Amino acid sequence: MTGIAAKTGRPRSEQSRTAILHAVDDLLAEVGYKAVTFKGIAERAGVSRQTVYRWWDTKAEILLEASAVDARAELAIIPTGDRVTDLTAYLAALTRFLTDSDAGAGYRALLGEAQHDEAVAALLHGTDIIGDSAAAILAVALPPETIEGTVPQAVAELVGPTFFRILNGHDPEELDHRAATLRFLARHNA
Amino acid sequence: MTGIAAKTGRPRSEQSRTAILHAVDDLLAEVGYKAVTFKGIAERAGVSRQTVYRWWDTKAEILLEASAVDARAELAIIPTGDRVTDLTAYLAALTRFLTDSDAGAGYRALLGEAQHDEAVAALLHGTDIIGDSAAAILAVALPPETIEGTVPQAVAELVGPTFFRILNGHDPEELDHRAATLRFLARHNA
Amino acid sequence: MTGIAAKTGRPRSEQSRTAILHAVDDLLAEVGYKAVTFKGIAERAGVSRQTVYRWWDTKAEILLEASAVDARAELAIIPTGDRVTDLTAYLAALTRFLTDSDAGAGYRALLGEAQHDEAVAALLHGTDIIGDSAAAILAVALPPETIEGTVPQAVAELVGPTFFRILNGHDPEELDHRAATLRFLARHNA
Amino acid sequence: MTGIAAKTGRPRSEQSRTAILHAVDDLLAEVGYKAVTFKGIAERAGVSRQTVYRWWDTKAEILLEASAVDARAELAIIPTGDRVTDLTAYLAALTRFLTDSDAGAGYRALLGEAQHDEAVAALLHGTDIIGDSAAAILAVALPPETIEGTVPQAVAELVGPTFFRILNGHDPEELDHRAATLRFLARHNA
DNA sequence: CAATAACCGAGACGGTACGTCACGTCTTAGC
DNA sequence: GCTAAGACGTGACGTACCGTCTCGGTTATTG
């Protein structure tokens, strides 16, 4: 768990904090998740290793803090009022997020770690970035009664196919987001 | 890449090979993927470290070799001829595989690594255990013309929702495989 | 070359340093030079391997640091004023040093390595333990003008015969240090 | 100890034997004693490692066999009848042997190993290349009665100073073999 | 306005796994 | 029965990062 600021004494250096978060972002993009180490982060940020350890327990926590804001922004769609357009745009945004974005790379790394690291899984629990964003777009795109009581299910059916194909290494170019949207709506509309 | 047996000299020890694969299986279940090391595998298998390095370059390769056979077996459904029954059984098997099975834990660990390790991603490319098993059950459950030309898509729509929910840590108890099957068929049947 | 203490950060542990030097001494006497390894030194000293590597590059450097002080002490003769007595005592001390002493075993091992290891030769260059001690005793035993300008030569003629016989495995019991001293003086006296 | 040829079966390959000895010579000159390994010798000689192990127990034995003949040749002086000339020539040959010659490098490496390896010391015992050659030249250069009963001593006084200086890394250019010869003779002549 | 308390950098510490190398032994097939 | 080939167990190599610790030095708040 992240360290807690004391009430007295020298205050935490905001400069060090942001330097560390930026260093993690940079390192993730440059050398990949596996090569992101506490040692490397500290050196890149121009900060002592102890300072990193003082405020974060795992590199997953740093990575989450470093990429969560960007991730939410990239998955937020401005609704147009047309459900086909909105859902199609969302699936396109999701695909870009998972394949091209730095924040998405962080998310995939964390999700990957969570598959075999209970601590990371616990950290991610209640931080369902994709699920939250999908629920948000569904709430404006569909009439409330349509998915009442089955939001997790509807979310899974919306994003699941895309999610599965990308995580299994399929070519994202092959995805037809509009067709997927229409098939999704075919079930929940009429 | 895995070493290649020479035509001359002392032949490879089959005993060592199976001891290593079993050791990986055991260690994965006992200490988790992160704590599986070449050193640990060798000691557990009663084999020299060099012998492990000689035949495999990464622990991902060993794990894949150790769990692929079991994985395929666990995802193979004996068709009854009733498509609802068969697809429902498949989704149940997939859920068990991903949540309870040792082979499934290996698969999830590999898939997780693949998200941030290009080498593992390459290794898994063309080894789509879930996709292959889903395609197989679809081939016997649906009339060929129904999914002609859209097999990857149909596969993704069948397994994607379940896959997404489990990998994101949702409770597998909440999944209703029969309902999911009916919704899937609703699109491809009539 | 030996590491250099930094001006900042945690200071070097003197306890570790002396533990390492003693461990080398002990190991050299117990298992011999060839079996002295960084790993063994670290374990014997109760120190991490990295700590040994941090401060020394080769085991020759550790050995030199561990035995140089003892070596000088064992080869230092307190002059009596009688040149025959002093030089005879020196040759006896040299013989004991080369055959019985732990420090002498270290010296012989280093000299041996220097014959086929350029790095060790360079390390020993300017650390002529025998030559220095011989020059010191000659300086007090002979009138300065006698060996003026030919010190290295005189040193070599004093210690060379003994040195040659011992390094070639001859029995040190056969050596007559008094007779050797008299023959040496016969040339430089009258 | 070297292996012993059997009376029956396939005879030992002379081709392999000489290939190994030449490989040792070459490797010693190219990469130095420390880097001479059984593995390296076998690969260089185009021979299996087992073949090397079958016939020699240690690399010291191979090296000795490979360089002893050359060593003796390089230290053999053709006497002219003039003792000053002969002994001076011998000391010059000894210096060249110890500093420039391949065989001499082998000798120095073996002598070095013998200082901290009992097995090598035992191997060299009774193979006193320098001592034998020095005794030979003394036998023809001095009247027999001069050194009667004190050959080892005379040998040590002849070669010891030169031996000491070279093994301790002194510059061989500084040696004046003629002057050393004259000082040596001054004691044993008149 | 000092004392205190927590921060910060630097870097050494004991660990542990890494991937490589050479060791000496063994087990094949071929000559 | 020698030979080439090469796998085997063993163990040291030198490196990297782990998480902890001990320094000297730097800010803020508090008495």
Side-chain angles (χ1 to χ4, degrees):
Chain A
M1 178 59 69
T2 299
I4 298 173
K7 290 151 195 171
T8 172
R10 178 176 178 174
R12 176 175 183 184
S13 163
E14 178 61 21
Q15 181 180 329
S16 290
R17 181 179 161 275
T18 57
I20 290 166
L21 294 180
H22 281 105
V24 170
D25 265 341
D26 294 349
L27 286 174
L28 184 66
E30 287 172 24
V31 299
Y33 181 81
K34 281 183 67 171
V36 175
T37 65
F38 273 77
K39 188 171 186 288
I41 294 168
E43 285 171 0
R44 174 66 166 250
V47 144
S48 88
R49 262 192 311 151
Q50 190 59 40
T51 297
V52 187
Y53 279 112
R54 202 189 325 271
W55 299 108
W56 294 275
D57 285 344
T58 63
K59 65 176 177 176
E61 290 177 25
I62 316 179
L63 187 51
L64 186 60
E65 186 167 338
S67 60
V69 174
D70 282 352
R72 287 187 203 286
E74 294 178 17
L75 290 174
I77 296 300
I78 300 173
T80 64
D82 179 67
R83 61 182 58 161
V84 173
T85 302
D86 290 352
L87 292 179
T88 301
Y90 176 74
L91 288 180
L94 176 62
T95 299
R96 277 196 308 276
F97 173 72
L98 288 175
T99 55
D100 293 336
S101 149
D102 281 355
Y107 167 82
R108 287 208 299 164
L110 288 175
L111 188 86
E113 285 292 287
Q115 302 312 312
H116 55 74
D117 186 331
E118 201 52 56
V120 178
L123 178 67
L124 256 58
H125 202 80
T127 320
D128 188 352
I129 292 177
I130 291 181
D132 292 351
S133 62
I137 196 68
L138 281 178
V140 301
L142 292 186
E145 67 274 16
T146 308
I147 54 172
E148 190 180 359
T150 61
V151 171
Q153 188 185 96
V155 162
E157 295 191 349
L158 177 63
V159 304
T162 297
F163 182 86
F164 170 78
R165 292 184 73 170
I166 293 177
L167 261 67
N168 276 277
H170 294 187
D171 183 356
E173 298 288 334
E174 295 177 2
L175 300 178
D176 182 340
H177 304 309
R178 183 176 175 86
T181 298
L182 293 178
R183 283 198 303 277
F184 173 76
L185 288 175
R187 279 208 308 276
H188 294 88
N189 260 354
Chain B
M1 178 58 69
T2 298
I4 298 173
K7 291 147 195 173
T8 173
R10 181 175 177 173
R12 176 173 183 183
S13 164
E14 178 61 22
Q15 181 178 330
S16 291
R17 182 180 158 272
T18 56
I20 289 166
L21 296 179
H22 283 105
V24 170
D25 265 341
D26 294 351
L27 287 173
L28 184 67
E30 287 173 24
V31 301
Y33 181 81
K34 280 182 66 172
V36 174
T37 64
F38 273 75
K39 187 172 189 287
I41 293 167
E43 287 171 359
R44 175 65 164 252
V47 144
S48 87
R49 220 143 46 92
Q50 190 59 40
T51 296
V52 187
Y53 281 112
R54 201 190 324 273
W55 298 108
W56 295 276
D57 285 344
T58 64
K59 64 177 177 175
E61 290 177 23
I62 316 180
L63 187 49
L64 184 62
E65 186 166 340
S67 60
V69 173
D70 283 352
R72 288 185 201 286
E74 295 178 18
L75 289 175
I77 297 300
I78 300 173
T80 64
D82 178 69
R83 59 183 59 162
V84 173
T85 302
D86 289 351
L87 293 179
T88 300
Y90 176 74
L91 288 180
L94 175 63
T95 300
R96 277 196 309 275
F97 173 72
L98 288 174
T99 55
D100 293 335
S101 149
D102 280 356
Y107 168 82
R108 287 208 298 162
L110 288 175
L111 188 85
E113 285 291 287
Q115 303 311 313
H116 56 75
D117 186 331
E118 201 53 54
V120 178
L123 178 67
L124 258 64
H125 202 80
T127 321
D128 188 352
I129 292 177
I130 291 181
D132 291 352
S133 62
I137 196 70
L138 281 179
V140 300
L142 293 187
E145 66 274 15
T146 308
I147 55 172
E148 189 180 359
T150 62
V151 170
Q153 188 184 95
V155 163
E157 294 192 350
L158 176 64
V159 304
T162 296
F163 181 85
F164 171 77
R165 292 184 73 170
I166 293 178
L167 260 67
N168 276 278
H170 294 188
D171 184 356
E173 298 289 334
E174 294 176 3
L175 299 178
D176 183 338
H177 304 308
R178 184 175 175 84
T181 297
L182 293 177
R183 283 199 302 279
F184 173 78
L185 288 176
R187 279 209 307 280
H188 294 89
N189 261 353
Chain C
M1 180 57 71
T2 299
I4 297 173
K7 290 146 194 171
T8 172
R10 181 175 177 172
R12 177 174 183 183
S13 164
E14 178 61 22
Q15 181 179 328
S16 290
R17 181 181 159 273
T18 56
I20 289 166
L21 295 179
H22 282 105
V24 170
D25 265 340
D26 294 350
L27 287 173
L28 184 67
E30 288 173 24
V31 301
Y33 181 80
K34 280 183 66 172
V36 174
T37 65
F38 273 74
K39 187 171 189 285
I41 294 167
E43 287 171 0
R44 175 64 165 254
V47 142
S48 88
R49 220 142 47 93
Q50 188 60 39
T51 296
V52 188
Y53 281 113
R54 200 187 329 269
W55 298 108
W56 295 276
D57 284 345
T58 63
K59 65 177 177 176
E61 290 177 23
I62 316 179
L63 187 50
L64 185 61
E65 185 167 340
S67 61
V69 174
D70 281 353
R72 288 185 201 286
E74 295 178 18
L75 290 175
I77 296 300
I78 301 174
T80 65
D82 179 68
R83 59 183 58 161
V84 173
T85 303
D86 290 350
L87 293 179
T88 301
Y90 176 75
L91 288 180
L94 176 62
T95 300
R96 277 196 308 276
F97 173 72
L98 287 175
T99 55
D100 293 337
S101 151
D102 280 355
Y107 168 82
R108 286 206 301 161
L110 288 175
L111 189 86
E113 285 292 286
Q115 303 312 312
H116 56 74
D117 186 331
E118 201 53 54
V120 178
L123 177 67
L124 256 60
H125 202 80
T127 320
D128 188 351
I129 292 177
I130 291 179
D132 291 352
S133 61
I137 196 69
L138 281 179
V140 301
L142 292 186
E145 66 274 16
T146 307
I147 55 172
E148 189 180 359
T150 62
V151 171
Q153 187 184 97
V155 162
E157 294 192 349
L158 176 63
V159 305
T162 296
F163 181 86
F164 171 77
R165 292 185 73 169
I166 294 179
L167 261 67
N168 277 277
H170 294 188
D171 184 356
E173 299 289 335
E174 294 177 3
L175 300 177
D176 183 337
H177 303 308
R178 183 174 176 85
T181 297
L182 293 177
R183 281 197 304 279
F184 173 78
L185 287 175
R187 278 208 308 276
H188 293 87
N189 260 354
Chain D
M1 179 58 71
T2 299
I4 298 173
K7 289 151 195 171
T8 168
R10 179 173 175 174
R12 176 174 183 183
S13 163
E14 178 60 23
Q15 180 179 329
S16 291
R17 180 179 162 275
T18 56
I20 290 167
L21 294 179
H22 282 104
V24 170
D25 266 340
D26 294 350
L27 286 173
L28 184 66
E30 287 172 23
V31 300
Y33 181 79
K34 281 183 68 171
V36 174
T37 65
F38 274 77
K39 189 171 186 286
I41 294 167
E43 287 170 0
R44 174 65 166 252
V47 145
S48 88
R49 265 196 303 153
Q50 191 58 39
T51 297
V52 187
Y53 280 113
R54 201 187 325 271
W55 298 108
W56 295 274
D57 285 345
T58 63
K59 64 176 177 176
E61 290 177 25
I62 315 179
L63 188 50
L64 187 60
E65 185 167 341
S67 60
V69 173
D70 282 351
R72 287 187 202 286
E74 295 179 18
L75 290 173
I77 296 299
I78 300 173
T80 65
D82 179 68
R83 59 182 60 161
V84 173
T85 302
D86 290 350
L87 293 179
T88 301
Y90 176 74
L91 288 181
L94 175 62
T95 299
R96 277 196 308 276
F97 173 71
L98 287 175
T99 54
D100 293 335
S101 149
D102 280 355
Y107 168 81
R108 286 209 299 163
L110 288 175
L111 187 86
E113 286 292 288
Q115 303 311 314
H116 54 74
D117 186 331
E118 201 53 55
V120 178
L123 178 67
L124 256 60
H125 201 80
T127 320
D128 189 352
I129 291 176
I130 291 180
D132 290 352
S133 61
I137 196 68
L138 281 179
V140 300
L142 292 187
E145 65 276 16
T146 308
I147 53 172
E148 188 180 0
T150 61
V151 170
Q153 188 185 96
V155 161
E157 295 193 348
L158 176 64
V159 304
T162 297
F163 181 85
F164 171 77
R165 292 185 73 169
I166 293 178
L167 262 66
N168 277 276
H170 293 188
D171 183 357
E173 299 289 335
E174 296 177 2
L175 300 177
D176 182 339
H177 303 309
R178 183 176 175 84
T181 297
L182 293 177
R183 283 198 302 280
F184 172 78
L185 287 176
R187 277 207 310 279
H188 294 86
N189 262 351

